Amino acid sequence: MASGTGSLLESLLERGRQDAPFEVTAIVVDRACRAAEIARDNEIPLVDCRLADHHDRATWDAALTEQVDAFGPAWVVTAGFMKILGPSFLSRFGGRIVNSHPALLPAFPGAHGVTDALAHGVKITGTTVHLVDDGVDTGPILAQQAVAVHPDDTEDSLHERIKSAERVLLADVVTALVTRGVVIDGRKADIP
Ligand code: GRF
């Protein structure tokens, strides 16, 4: 699921082709974002995440859940998907939704993790890949990678450096999940 510039989506598509550990079966996007072009260019079925947002949120949540469920995904990856998933979606795919966040959680959760880290003056930030629960960026952490903050960093320069780390880490974690299942702290976690 992507609603940004799609760089994380592209890294997943590339990894999926290289060793074929997984296949991206459908892409949920906001049609207006660049990720939608990537879906069309790669001829992968596209689900428009605004499909029912002219209704109330519960209707949107139920409609999105049904549309995604129709593809029968083993895993759902939110790769720059800037909408909060609803209770129907979380109950259908809970435990099988993987998110990438551009900060070292639990530090700097939410939609401005990069800006907040810069504003706080941290010298090290990074990226976190975690399972999604019903909180915001609060699910079990699967992997993290540190990224140094440079004195002259802007939000864009720091975010691009974090994304370079994310592109590899997210693809590595998705490959591990598909091939080995969820391993947290060295223990295989039971996914409902
Ligand atoms: C990533 O940094 C991700 O952690 C955050 O949004 C960014 C998505 O980048 N949630 P892109 O749209 O894939 O380029």
Side-chain angles (χ1 to χ4, degrees):
M1 303 177 81
S3 59
T5 62
S7 67
L8 292 187
L9 170 60
E10 280 178 324
S11 65
L12 289 172
L13 290 171
E14 282 160 25
R15 179 70 66 89
R17 287 193 199 99
Q18 276 162 9
D19 322 322
F22 55 83
E23 181 195 358
V24 177
T25 50
I27 299 176
V28 178
V29 291
D30 179 329
R31 279 193 188 283
C33 70
R34 185 173 165 274
E37 294 167 34
I38 295 169
R40 286 190 283 270
D41 293 349
N42 287 274
E43 296 174 351
I44 294 173
L46 183 150
V47 174
D48 181 353
C49 69
R50 293 170 303 157
L51 42 97
D53 66 0
H54 53 283
H55 293 293
D56 59 278
R57 183 167 160 73
T59 308
W60 173 80
D61 177 23
L64 183 66
T65 302
E66 290 317 308
Q67 293 247 356
V68 173
D69 201 37
F71 291 97
W75 292 92
V76 175
V77 183
T78 49
F81 187 69
M82 304 311 281
K83 288 178 178 278
I84 300 295
L85 296 169
S88 298
F89 198 94
L90 292 173
S91 95
R92 183 73 58 90
F93 300 107
R96 296 185 289 135
I97 308 170
V98 181
N99 182 51
S100 180
H101 181 74
L104 293 176
L105 295 172
F108 311 119
H112 308 289
V114 178
T115 311
D116 294 345
L118 264 181
H120 201 88
V122 296
K123 304 307 177 194
I124 300 288
T125 185
T127 175
T128 302
V129 179
H130 64 97
L131 294 178
V132 173
D133 64 9
D134 57 2
V136 176
D137 300 324
T138 52
I141 291 174
L142 299 176
Q144 293 188 300
Q145 181 167 333
V147 173
V149 181
H150 296 170
D152 58 348
D153 261 328
T154 61
E155 182 195 346
D156 287 347
S157 62
L158 177 55
H159 202 169
E160 276 314 308
R161 196 154 61 251
I162 292 172
K163 282 200 218 179
S164 298
E166 281 188 290
R167 284 193 278 269
V168 177
L169 191 66
L170 182 58
D172 287 349
V173 170
V174 171
T175 299
L177 290 173
V178 171
T179 55
R180 290 189 290 125
V182 180
V183 178
I184 297 177
D185 300 332
R187 288 177 295 106
K188 185 170 168 60
D190 296 327
I191 295 299

